């Protein structure tokens, strides 16, 4: 938890265990980052089985275990449903990530990216996935990058990606890209947490989980 707080930029945060819960405090307006401190950031790479235009009534919020198929949607810049995807089971997960960093896409100057590097096991899984997808026809040659049940992007795969490195693009701001990179770099929390409250107590903000 201390490591995750540092990655989120909460350098002066204080984390304490008390009464069966965890309390984190930080100076300034840090409510959003303190809330993110307890989030799982569930990242999955799933093969696309089908794709269609989306509408609000066809894209209810949904989740599924990693080993099961999932229907999920991407969103447009106006935060409305854009595409509906029928996805296969997750082939690569956030736990297969060894490092992540946010950076501005200087080549296209279109926004922020998150570069991730897989573990050796994750790199093998991603290579196997991209090898299979490269043989398929559109849209079943696409890999959906799914974060917390929403599709960030679904790029087509033309060839095997063997080096264990991939870029995640989406409607990222500088803050959201850094937050995602921090959560992925810190890894999954050992236990599921739920933020019970976030309180602004004047100068410092506090979160209890």
């Amino acid at each position: 938890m201390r490591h995750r707080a540092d990655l989120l930029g909460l350098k002066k945060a204080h984390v304490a265990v008390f009464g069966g819960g965890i309390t984190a405090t930080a100076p300034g307006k840090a409510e959003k980052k303190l809330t993110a401190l307890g989030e799982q950031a569930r990242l999955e790479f799933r093969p696309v089985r089908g794709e269609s235009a989306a509408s609000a009534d066809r894209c209810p919020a949904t989740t599924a275990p990693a080993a099961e198929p999932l229907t999920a949607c991407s969103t447009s810049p106006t935060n409305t449903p854009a595409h509906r995807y029928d996805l296969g089971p997750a082939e690569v997960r956030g736990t297969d990530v060894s490092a992540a960093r946010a950076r501005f896409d200087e080549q296209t100057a279109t926004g922020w990216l998150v570069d991730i590097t897989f573990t050796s096991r994750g790199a093998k899984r991603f290579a196997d996935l991209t090898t299979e997808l490269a043989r398929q026809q559109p849209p079943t040659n696409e890999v959906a990058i799914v974060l917390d049940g929403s599709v960030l992007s679904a790029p087509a795969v033309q060839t095997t990606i063997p080096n264990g490195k991939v870029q995640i693009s989406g409607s990222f701001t500088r803050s959201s890209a850094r937050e995602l990179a921090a959560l992925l770099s810190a890894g999954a929390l050992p236990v599921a947490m739920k933020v019970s409250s976030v309180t602004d107590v004047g100068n410092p903000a506090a979160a209890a989980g």
Side-chain angles (χ1 to χ4, degrees):
M1 184 64 75
R2 175 69 264 172
H3 177 52
R4 178 171 284 205
D6 288 343
L7 288 171
L8 283 170
L10 296 170
K11 299 296 185 181
K12 297 182 179 180
H14 176 69
V15 180
V17 179
F18 180 76
I22 297 175
T23 298
T25 58
K29 298 294 183 180
E31 294 92 336
K32 186 176 181 180
K33 289 183 178 181
L34 286 169
T35 299
L37 195 59
E39 294 179 352
Q40 294 290 106
R42 182 177 174 180
L43 179 73
E44 299 172 333
F45 294 80
R46 292 175 175 260
V48 174
R49 303 302 189 211
E51 180 181 345
S52 60
S55 61
D57 61 337
R58 296 187 64 213
C59 273
T62 181
T63 59
E68 296 181 6
L70 172 70
T71 297
C73 292
S74 63
T75 57
S76 69
T78 58
N79 205 35
T80 57
H83 293 280
R84 178 181 182 270
Y85 297 90
D86 296 317
L87 307 174
E91 301 291 344
V92 188
R93 309 178 193 179
T95 51
D96 293 314
V97 174
S98 65
R101 72 181 185 95
R103 67 177 177 84
F104 186 75
D105 187 357
E106 295 182 352
Q107 185 172 12
T108 64
T110 55
W112 285 80
L113 304 170
V114 176
D115 291 328
I116 70 173
T117 302
F118 293 119
T119 63
S120 57
R121 182 182 66 174
K124 174 63 167 58
R125 289 178 173 177
F126 196 69
D128 290 345
L129 172 61
T130 54
T131 297
E132 177 62 28
L133 292 180
R135 302 187 182 118
Q136 308 302 318
Q137 296 298 314
T140 56
N141 66 337
E142 298 175 359
V143 55
I145 302 169
V146 186
L147 177 66
D148 295 335
S150 295
V151 177
L152 291 179
S153 60
V157 176
Q158 305 297 335
T159 187
T160 301
I161 301 175
N163 62 0
K165 298 180 184 295
V166 67
Q167 293 178 351
I168 302 177
S169 61
S171 300
F172 289 122
T173 62
R174 176 181 179 180
S175 177
S176 63
R178 288 184 170 181
E179 181 177 302
L180 175 58
L183 295 177
L184 293 176
S185 295
L189 293 171
V191 295
M193 292 187 65
K194 179 180 180 180
V195 178
S196 60
S197 63
V198 177
T199 306
D200 186 344
V201 289
N203 190 29

